Amino acid sequence: MSSRPAEPCDVHQHLWPPALVEALRARREPPFLRGYTLHLKGEPAYQVNPADHDVAARLELQAGVRALVSLSSPLGLEDLPPAEARPLLDAWHTGAQEFPSGFGAWAAVGRIEPDLTGLAELLRGSFVGLQVPATWMATPRALEALAPVLQVCESAGRPVLVHPGPAAPTDEELPGWWPAVVDYTAQLSAAWWSWHHTGRALLPELRIGFVAGAGLAPLQHERLTARGGRLGRTDRNVFVETSSYGPQAVDALIRALGIDAVIRGSDRPYAEPAPLGFGNAADHAIDVSNPQRFLTGGTP
């Protein structure tokens, strides 16, 4: 499966292969499934719609758009002890490789004792790159600790997609939207600033993308300057994707970063792509040209 999109590309979707569903049902501690009810630490129980993970139905929804699918890092699979994480990650990688044409997939790696050799093998194969939880980049020091994993991607010429990780556990009853609106955006914002403080000096050639507009952290660039910080020149190897945002937020991201930094993502099945209405040239950049540079470093 090539990482080069020959058509519009959605870089951020989730689709569970049957082997992963069964592995989650076999667990007794979060994260686990009971039937199709998902139990996580820090979030209310979530009723999964089985149709959301039907491959044929998802292909029909795509309408000519290539979908790049990944583990949903808020599940916390990558943070489990190695003996627990390994069979779940293996189930993901095995199942994702069986998805038909029309899909690509992001690799995953465990946080504790990451298998760098195995990751390199996955990246030499069909996986388009690596997804990492934003919580692993919460501070510059945390990013430094993650650098050996990211260096595997840099050496392979494959990109990294930064996705929210597990929400913070709480005893307080919160509305169901709270983790996505509060926890996830805060995680992405911290990862964005860690990257800009430390990342490029450590990984000069890495292409990196942040889902959900990096929690809209780029809109804080004026505040950074006002408080004595300095962003530096525009980095053409840093991208933000559009999931859960519409024209107002995406327009602001374009004003802050330029249109070349913006790539299409939907977070399907948890959200749907929103029409932006910026015109054909902008649509082509966001849906085709920019994902192409993100995935391969080249041009269509």
Side-chain angles (χ1 to χ4, degrees):
M1 189 183 301
S2 170
S3 62
R4 178 184 176 89
E7 54 194 353
C9 184
D10 181 337
V11 304
H12 176 201
Q13 293 194 19
H14 304 287
L15 185 62
W16 296 350
L20 179 61
V21 171
E22 293 308 312
L24 286 167
R25 285 177 175 161
R27 290 181 54 80
R28 294 293 177 266
E29 298 291 333
F32 66 87
L33 280 170
R34 287 295 169 267
Y36 274 97
T37 302
L38 178 65
H39 297 266
L40 303 176
K41 291 181 179 178
E43 297 199 30
Y46 177 77
Q47 188 62 40
V48 177
N49 182 355
D52 286 343
H53 298 282
D54 181 279
V55 174
R58 183 69 62 87
L59 274 175
E60 190 173 341
L61 279 175
Q62 293 306 107
V65 176
R66 186 173 183 234
L68 305 185
V69 296
S70 67
L71 278 176
S72 185
S73 290
L75 296 177
L77 307 189
E78 302 101 315
D79 288 305
L80 293 170
E84 296 182 53
R86 192 173 300 113
L88 294 165
L89 298 182
D90 287 347
W92 162 250
H93 290 128
T94 299
Q97 287 175 310
E98 295 174 354
F99 288 146
S101 175
F103 293 103
W106 295 95
V109 69
R111 179 176 59 83
I112 305 168
E113 301 176 5
D115 181 0
L116 301 187
T117 300
L119 173 60
E121 291 176 357
L122 292 169
L123 297 180
R124 283 194 295 268
S126 60
F127 287 88
V128 299
L130 174 69
Q131 178 182 275
V132 297
T135 46
W136 296 5
M137 297 171 55
T139 65
R141 184 174 295 177
L143 178 54
E144 290 174 358
L146 182 61
V149 173
L150 303 183
Q151 284 168 349
V152 174
C153 301
E154 184 182 46
S155 297
R158 299 288 191 173
V160 168
L161 185 71
V162 182
H163 189 284
T170 178
D171 293 332
E172 184 177 356
E173 185 173 345
L174 297 170
W177 50 260
W178 187 275
V181 176
V182 179
D183 290 78
Y184 296 175
T185 54
Q187 292 175 17
L188 289 163
S189 181
W192 176 265
W193 293 114
S194 293
W195 173 260
H196 283 286
H197 184 272
T198 300
R200 185 53 75 205
L202 292 173
L203 301 147
E205 303 299 328
L206 183 70
R207 300 187 304 280
I208 189 166
F210 295 77
V211 309
L216 301 186
L219 306 191
Q220 302 294 334
H221 289 180
E222 290 176 321
R223 183 172 177 84
L224 171 71
T225 302
R227 294 305 177 105
R230 182 175 178 274
L231 188 68
R233 64 182 183 178
T234 300
D235 189 332
R236 284 181 56 81
N237 282 331
V238 176
F239 300 82
V240 294
E241 66 87 61
T242 60
S243 59
S244 296
Y245 290 112
Q248 180 176 350
V250 176
D251 179 72
L253 289 168
I254 291 170
R255 291 173 184 272
L257 299 174
I259 196 168
D260 289 347
V262 180
I263 53 180
R264 174 71 70 180
S266 68
D267 200 19
R268 187 175 265 160
Y270 308 111
E272 294 297 318
L276 299 175
F278 296 158
N280 292 339
D283 287 346
H284 189 270
I286 292 170
D287 295 346
V288 181
S289 302
N290 298 345
Q292 169 71 28
R293 287 191 302 104
F294 174 49
L295 294 171
T296 71
T299 55

